[in-house]
Amino acid sequence: VKSEGRNSYQFFKPSIQRSAINRLSLESAMRKAIERDEFVLHYQPQVHTHTGEVLGMEALIRWHHPEKGMMPPFHFIPVAEETGLIAPIGEWVVHEACRQTKAWQNSGEAGLTGLKVAVNLSARQFSDRELIAKIRRALDSVGLNANALEMEITESIIMNDINSTIKQLELLSEMGLDLAIDDFGTGYSSLSYLKRFPINKLKIDKSFIDNVTNSNDDAKIVAAIIGLSHNLNLNVICEGVEDSDQHNWLKTHNCNQIQGYYFSKPLPADEFESYIRNKNRS
Ligand code: C2E
Ligand code: CA
Ligand code: CA
Ligand code: CA
């Protein structure tokens, strides 16, 4: 209606303008952040449930903002994804994760040489035709073998367009990478497709682990996903493990790997090294 149209200008202007300006300034700040090398990766250990051995780590991005301090990914990854800036940022993440993992291999230090690094892939990155070439470039530039790299792709990305998903997953798998489905249980995976995907690992979402020791429903779901993984010969990891009760429950139910604050928060590279050294000493 016309009269509404006229009023809507005044009604909408302030909030729309504000958010557009916020987004714009965030976008230009992110462009500069790449040039100024303000992004850092933190690493969270992925632990063998029964032995406690650290098998690898998930690389998680942070933005060391000159004024705002350390910014967590939910502040900027969604805007990076919308604006397309996730492409250069994601390329940086893959390269930096590979570089660090190779440096730990080269250190020759016990506990640091055999680690596998897991990197998160966004929807845009996953559908990028150049993805394979970009990963190849990152691996080659630091001399890292593909079998030390794992890609985490969320369930919702994977179920988006099945035919192109299968092609892309096959290309990644042929490179020798490991593939993990992230946030498993929160999307709508068709179990029949799961068998056709060349994947290695299911990562059960934290929301199920939160109540695994006090909700019968969540316990049944987690037990079922662990059973499914074993039947399909997939590795299974739980994220968001925060206490020893959850750890013990997952031990009893034969989950292969766990990740969570109970072992460690995501750590800067030097603190991750100290974590490994302390663990080896005790
Ligand atoms: P995600 O892939 O599901 O990562 C797990 C998140 O849970 C991380 O948050 C991690 O710090 C947190 N977490 C791990 N263990 C625990 C726990 O025991 N308790 C609690 N409360 N939280 C735990 P973070 O680092 O803030 O990352 C949030 C999300 O941002 C990630 O969720 C991922 O979707 C995205 N993200 C992070 N780094 C990257 C990246 O390099 N590229 C892309 N595309 N996305 C990224
Ligand atoms: Ca992840
Ligand atoms: Ca996750
Ligand atoms: Ca999650």
Side-chain angles (χ1 to χ4, degrees):
V1 199
K2 262 211 173 112
S3 61
E4 272 177 9
R6 211 167 41 228
N7 287 335
S8 67
Y9 174 73
Q10 283 182 324
F11 183 74
F12 282 115
K13 191 182 163 193
S15 61
I16 283 185
Q17 210 171 46
R18 197 181 321 120
S19 69
I21 286 170
N22 278 346
R23 279 174 46 104
L24 260 178
S25 66
L26 184 58
E27 190 183 340
S28 76
M30 267 193 283
R31 281 183 202 281
K32 290 187 195 125
I34 300 173
E35 294 157 21
R36 294 176 185 167
D37 225 14
E38 289 170 4
F39 292 112
V40 285
L41 293 182
H42 285 187
Y43 299 92
Q44 187 175 35
Q46 299 188 328
V47 177
H48 188 288
T49 310
H50 288 272
T51 66
E53 187 192 353
V54 178
L55 303 170
M57 58 282 173
E58 180 176 5
L60 294 152
I61 194 170
R62 271 88 186 109
W63 180 0
H64 202 164
H65 194 281
E67 284 116 44
K68 291 173 188 145
M70 207 56 103
M71 276 187 9
F74 74 88
H75 274 299
F76 59 94
I77 289 290
V79 176
E81 175 79 0
E82 284 168 40
T83 55
L85 275 174
I86 193 68
I89 294 173
E91 243 183 295
W92 177 86
V93 170
V94 174
H95 183 271
E96 176 59 13
C98 290
R99 188 202 60 74
Q100 184 61 71
T101 304
K102 183 67 184 182
W104 282 332
Q105 285 182 357
N106 286 343
S107 75
E109 232 186 282
L112 288 175
T113 55
L115 297 169
K116 188 170 285 216
V117 69
V119 169
N120 292 285
L121 274 191
S122 73
R124 252 198 223 239
Q125 284 175 282
F126 185 65
S127 57
D128 180 358
R129 287 160 182 263
E130 297 293 308
L131 176 66
I132 306 294
K134 285 173 178 172
I135 295 174
R136 188 74 267 163
R137 243 190 340 255
L139 289 167
D140 290 347
S141 74
V142 301
L144 187 74
N145 196 303
N147 64 16
L149 180 60
E150 178 173 271
M151 292 294 165
E152 293 194 1
I153 307 153
T154 63
E155 193 181 11
S156 54
I157 294 175
I158 272 196
M159 297 311 292
N160 199 21
D161 173 356
I162 298 294
N163 288 324
S164 60
T165 287
I166 292 182
K167 267 190 223 127
Q168 189 75 316
L169 291 177
E170 276 169 353
L171 290 171
L172 289 165
S173 167
E174 281 161 15
M175 285 179 78
L177 306 174
D178 271 3
L179 300 171
I181 302 192
D182 202 357
D183 298 344
F184 190 80
T186 59
Y188 300 93
S189 284
S190 154
L191 299 184
S192 61
Y193 282 121
L194 215 48
K195 224 170 47 182
R196 290 177 51 196
F197 292 151
I199 51 166
N200 310 85
K201 197 175 189 180
L202 295 185
K203 191 169 201 182
I204 304 177
D205 192 65
K206 175 180 183 298
S207 57
F208 298 103
I209 309 309
D210 288 342
N211 294 309
V212 78
T213 53
N214 52 39
S215 152
N216 224 339
D217 286 346
D218 287 349
K220 280 182 190 156
I221 291 169
V222 174
I225 300 175
I226 293 171
L228 174 75
S229 306
H230 293 329
N231 285 329
L232 293 175
N233 278 320
L234 298 173
N235 226 325
V236 60
I237 183 168
C238 288
E239 65 175 15
V241 176
E242 293 184 344
D243 59 46
S244 63
D245 286 349
Q246 293 167 341
H247 179 201
N248 286 332
W249 192 96
L250 292 166
K251 241 188 213 166
T252 312
H253 288 80
N254 282 317
C255 183
N256 302 133
Q257 296 178 24
I258 38 186
Q259 179 182 342
Y261 292 175
Y262 178 59
F263 293 95
S264 171
K265 292 195 169 183
L267 301 168
D270 58 335
E271 289 176 35
F272 184 86
E273 288 170 17
S274 312
Y275 176 84
I276 298 283
R277 285 178 195 134
N278 280 333
K279 216 174 156 112
N280 284 347
R281 237 176 264 131
S282 58

